[in-house]
Amino acid sequence: MTPAELAEVVLSAAHAVFTERGLDRSALPERTAVERPRNPEHGDYASTLALQLSKKVGVPPRELATALAEQLGRAPGVKSVEIAGPGFLNIRLDAAAAGQLARAIVEAGEAYGGSDRLAGQRINLEFVSANPTGPVHIGGVRWAAVGDALSRLLRATGAEVGTEYYFNDAGSQIDRFARSLLAAARGEPAPEDGYAGAYISEIAAQVQARRPDVATLDDSAAQEVFRVEGVQLMFDEIKSSLRDFGVEFDTYFNEKDLHDRGELDHALDRLRQQGNTFEADGATWLRTTHFGDDKDRVLRKSNGEWTYFAADCAYYLDKRERGFERVVIMLGADHHGYIGRMKAMSACFGDDPAVNLEILIGQLVNLVRDGAPVRMSKRAGTVVTLEDLVEAIGVDASRYALARYSSDSPIDLDVELWTKAGNDNPVYYVQYVAARTANVSRNAAELGLTRGDADAFRPELLDHEKENELLKALAEFPAVVAAAAELREPHRVARYLESTAGAYHRFYDSCRVAPRGDEEITDLHRARLWLNDATRTVIANGLRLLGVSAPERM
C-alpha cells in the first residue's frame, strides 16, 4: 500500500464517520495526506486529519480521532491505529499491505513516482541563457543541471513544459564580441571593454576560414562579418556543449527576432493600453513603481534606442501569448535586483506576478581541489567552463553534484570527493545501488531464481525490520517527486536517493535474496527479489529525473 493509497483509506474512513454521526461532509477535504513519523516506534504513518476537521464540525479532536481509529482499524491492510496527543493517528500496516508495494513498483516501472499533481499547468521554463560571447561558465552549468532536472520533475507531475534558451544576439555585448574577434584576427590586443581568452582566437580563425574575403573588407563590414559568423559559431559550440551534458531545449529564442518582428513595439502598445507608460525627458518610461519597483524603468531612450528592459518586456509577453500561464526564469546570483522590476513589469501587463511569473536565483559555484580553487580555464581565460567541470569529474557527477544542493546556497565542488570510487561520493553511493540491484537480479537468474507470477507473490513474507524500512522508503518516492516539482527543488530527489540507498544497503546486509549453495528456492527468496527489483526501479527513476545514468555494472 502506497502513502497515497493509505491516505485514500483514511479519507474513506472519515466519510464513513461523518455519515454515521450526521456531520457535514462538505467539511471533508478532497484529498489528505499521511506522513512518516520521525520516530519509527510511533508507527508506519501518521495522520492529522482529526485535528484539521475538529473545529469545522465542532467535535473535540480526540473524540473524532477515536471514531476515525475505530473505522480505520477495520480497513484491509491496516494492522493497528493508535491515538497520540490531542488527536494524532499513528497507523501501522500489516506486512502483506506493506509488501504489496514492491509488486506495484515493479509493474509500474518508469511510471512509478509520477503523478497528475500539476496536470493542466502550462509552464515555460527558461534557464542557462548564457550570452553567446564565450563558453558556458560553471554558474551557467549549475542552471543547466538544475533546470533540466526541474523540467523532468514538472513533466513527471503532469505539467506541460516548454524549455527555453534565450539567445542574446543583439546589443552592445555582441558588438564588443565582434570587435574582439576582429582584433584577434588582425593580431591586435583585445579592446579594453572586449573579451579575451584562447577561444576568441579560435573563433576568429574559424571565421577567417569560412570567409577569406573578410581581410579585404573595411572595419565596419569586417566587424559585421565577425559578428554574424562569430555569434553563430559560438552559439553552435554552446549548444553542442549542453547537448553533450544531456541538456536539450525545446526552443532556442533569438533576441534579435524580437526586434526584427516588431515585438518591442507590440509590447509597448500593450503597456500603453494598460495605462502604465509615460513620457519624460524625451524617453518612454514604464511606471513600475506603482507595482513595488524601486524606480520607474526606461523602455525607449530619447535617441529612439530600445533598452534591454524593453526586450525583457517583449519576451515575457511573447511567452504569455504563446499560451504559457506561468513563466519561470532561472537567473544567476548577480541578477537578484531583476526580481522587483520583472515582477512589476508582469503587473504592468495586467498579469498577477504571483501566478504568472516566477524567478529563481541560483548562487555561486566553485570548483576546488585540496581546498583551493581550481586553476582558471586556459581557453576561457577567466572562468571555469562546462568542459572544465566535465573533464574534472565527469557528466554524471557534475549533474548530480549541481542538482544535489539547494539552488539558493553557494557550493564548493571538491574534485577529489566527486571522482572517488567510494561511499563518501554521493553519486557513487547511489549509482552503486543501481548496479548492485542489477547484479543481484543477474545472479538470481543464474541460480534459477525469478520473481515468478505476480499472482503468486507473497508480500506478507516481507516482515523483516530492514524489509519494512526499505518498503517505507520506496513508498515515499512519489511524494518526494511531487514536492520537488512544486517547490522547484530537485535536490530533494538526490537527498532521497541517498537515504533510500542506505536503506537498501541495510536490507542487503540483513536479508539475503538468493539461496546459498544447495538451499531450496522459496517464496521468501522470490518476495525479496521483488523488493530488490522495486529498489532498482526507484533508484533508476530518481536518477533519470536528475539526468544521471543508472549503471547495471560498476
Side-chain angles (χ1 to χ4, degrees), residues 179-262:
R179 290 200 305 273
S180 302
L181 293 175
L182 178 59
R186 293 177 172 175
E188 301 170 356
E192 186 175 337
D193 61 348
Y195 297 92
Y199 78 95
I200 290 292
S201 296
E202 292 171 10
I203 292 175
Q206 291 179 58
V207 172
Q208 288 175 298
R210 280 188 177 193
R211 292 287 304 273
D213 63 312
V214 72
T216 67
L217 303 177
D218 61 37
D219 286 358
S220 178
Q223 183 173 316
E224 179 62 14
V225 169
F226 278 105
R227 187 192 72 78
V228 173
E229 297 286 348
V231 164
Q232 187 59 55
L233 286 166
M234 190 73 255
F235 193 51
D236 287 345
E237 181 178 320
I238 289 171
K239 288 199 288 187
S240 177
S241 297
L242 289 169
R243 191 179 304 115
D244 292 342
F245 196 61
V247 179
E248 291 270 13
F249 290 87
D250 298 319
T251 301
Y252 293 93
F253 194 101
N254 288 14
E255 179 186 351
K256 189 171 181 294
D257 289 344
L258 292 171
H259 295 265
D260 293 346
R261 297 197 300 245

Side-chain angles (χ1 to χ4, degrees), residues 104 153 167 176 185 304 318 342 486 552:
L153 285 163
F167 181 27
R176 294 198 302 273
D318 181 273
M342 293 294 286
E486 291 178 327
E552 294 194 356

Side-chain angles (χ1 to χ4, degrees), residues 325-443:
E325 66 183 32
R326 193 169 189 86
V327 173
V328 181
I329 306 173
M330 296 180 159
L331 298 173
D334 56 341
H335 287 74
H336 201 279
Y338 278 53
I339 297 177
R341 76 187 71 168
M342 293 294 286
K343 289 283 188 178
M345 173 267 289
S346 172
C348 286
F349 277 115
D351 283 349
D352 181 349
V355 173
N356 302 117
L357 178 62
E358 184 176 346
I359 297 177
L360 307 178
I361 300 292
Q363 294 301 318
L364 299 176
V365 183
N366 297 303
L367 189 63
V368 300
R369 180 184 280 113
D370 298 327
V374 170
R375 187 166 52 88
M376 297 302 183
S377 166
K378 288 182 179 179
R379 184 167 183 269
T382 57
V383 296
V384 175
T385 67
L386 189 161
E387 287 80 5
D388 296 328
L389 180 62
V390 170
E391 182 179 349
I393 66 176
V395 171
D396 275 351
S398 297
R399 290 193 60 132
Y400 190 95
L402 291 167
R404 183 178 183 261
Y405 301 93
S406 175
S407 299
D408 57 9
S409 301
I411 53 176
D412 291 331
L413 299 185
D414 189 318
V415 173
E416 300 300 326
L417 171 66
W418 289 98
T419 54
K420 184 185 296 184
N423 290 342
D424 291 344
N425 179 349
V427 70
Y428 180 90
Y429 186 63
V430 174
Q431 287 185 316
Y432 186 70
V433 171
R436 172 171 270 186
T437 51
N439 187 56
V440 166
S441 294
R442 283 193 302 272
N443 290 341

